[in-house]
Amino acid sequence: MPRLYRDVSVFMSNRIIILLGVPGSGKGTQAARLVNRLGYGHISTGELLRALEADPNADPADKKKLIAMRAGKLVADDLIYKLAFREIEKHLARGSGVVLDGAIRSVVQAESYQKFFEAKKLANEIIAIEIHISDETILARLRDRIKNQGQQRADDDPEIMKRRITEQGNAALKPILDYYRSLAALQVVDGELSMDEVETEIGSALRHASS
């Protein structure tokens, strides 16, 4: 474990780490590294939904909401909260913190998570970290993914890429960032750096927030 992470883990006060960033910013990679370094739980909305879909004993009402999602509708917020909050509580009960990986997609969701954390008396243990890249870099990284994979996913179509930037790019992310900035809980790191350098920047942000 790098010394930076050893130093952070000794005295860090943030049990809730919220990673924010546009598509292609590397949130998933950095979330996995944080979970590995700190021993925290990993909260990924996508993984929770896939686990629900594969669970033969899941609540039928929840499964019905998944069918609506596959039909092109947005995932109901109440389902997201139910799955995420339940998983967060499991990790907290074990005495570990959590890393939220792209789990918050709107200010309404951010406010709901905040109320949950306040009810758990964790409002002062939250840090939101934006891994910032430009919209131009989003397109470049998505194009590189197509080139490196040698095949095109449905959402790698150029027009779909542009729509994703409109819907999930920096302009769409800004209100969420402003919300966490208003709580004095936001740190920003340069996502244009290498993965190792971004990891170091995140460690520095955690150390700064804990000082």
Side-chain angles (χ1 to χ4, degrees):
M1 179 184 296
R3 178 177 178 80
L4 183 59
Y5 272 96
R6 284 205 307 271
D7 291 346
V8 167
S9 63
V10 168
F11 59 82
M12 71 177 286
S13 59
N14 303 105
R15 294 173 68 194
I16 311 298
I17 301 173
I18 301 170
L19 291 186
L20 301 168
V22 295
S25 60
K27 295 187 300 297
T29 297
Q30 297 303 329
R33 292 188 178 200
L34 276 171
V35 167
N36 182 54
R37 300 297 188 191
L38 300 176
Y40 278 20
H42 183 197
I43 308 299
S44 165
T45 300
E47 289 181 6
L48 291 175
L49 291 171
R50 285 188 288 274
L52 172 64
E53 188 171 25
D55 183 0
N57 301 313
D59 185 334
D62 293 342
K63 290 272 196 175
K64 188 174 181 179
K65 291 176 182 177
L66 279 181
I67 294 173
M69 178 190 73
R70 288 196 295 271
K73 297 181 180 179
L74 293 175
V75 182
D77 279 351
D78 64 328
L79 177 59
I80 295 297
Y81 302 148
K82 176 181 177 179
L83 298 175
F85 295 169
R86 182 171 60 196
E87 196 68 15
I88 290 168
E89 286 179 329
K90 286 181 185 177
H91 292 294
L92 293 176
R94 297 183 188 121
S96 72
V98 295
V99 178
L100 276 68
D101 169 15
I104 296 174
R105 302 294 181 90
S106 70
V107 173
V108 170
Q109 289 184 352
E111 291 171 340
S112 294
Y113 275 89
Q114 186 67 16
K115 288 177 183 176
F116 171 79
F117 292 134
E118 287 173 354
K120 298 294 178 181
K121 302 188 185 307
L122 294 167
N124 295 323
E125 300 185 34
I126 297 168
I127 179 171
I129 301 176
E130 182 204 5
I131 304 173
H132 181 78
I133 63 173
S134 68
D135 288 345
E136 291 76 16
T137 299
I138 301 173
L139 273 176
R141 289 185 178 180
L142 292 176
R143 287 172 179 145
D144 284 344
R145 184 178 68 192
I146 297 172
K147 181 180 178 181
N148 293 335
Q149 290 179 342
Q151 58 184 7
Q152 184 167 319
R153 297 185 347 184
D155 60 358
D156 287 332
D157 177 89
E159 290 305 313
I160 295 177
M161 283 189 203
K162 291 177 183 178
R163 187 163 69 244
R164 285 186 72 191
I165 291 175
T166 299
E167 295 173 351
Q168 303 175 40
N170 286 297
L173 185 62
K174 185 178 183 300
I176 302 172
L177 300 178
D178 289 343
Y179 175 77
Y180 284 108
R181 191 174 285 111
S182 73
L183 299 177
L186 181 67
Q187 297 282 330
V188 179
V189 302
D190 185 357
E192 307 277 352
L193 302 172
S194 71
M195 288 188 293
D196 289 345
E197 289 172 323
V198 172
E199 182 180 9
T200 299
E201 290 285 309
I202 291 173
S204 295
L206 291 172
R207 185 169 60 182
H208 175 75
S210 300
S211 61

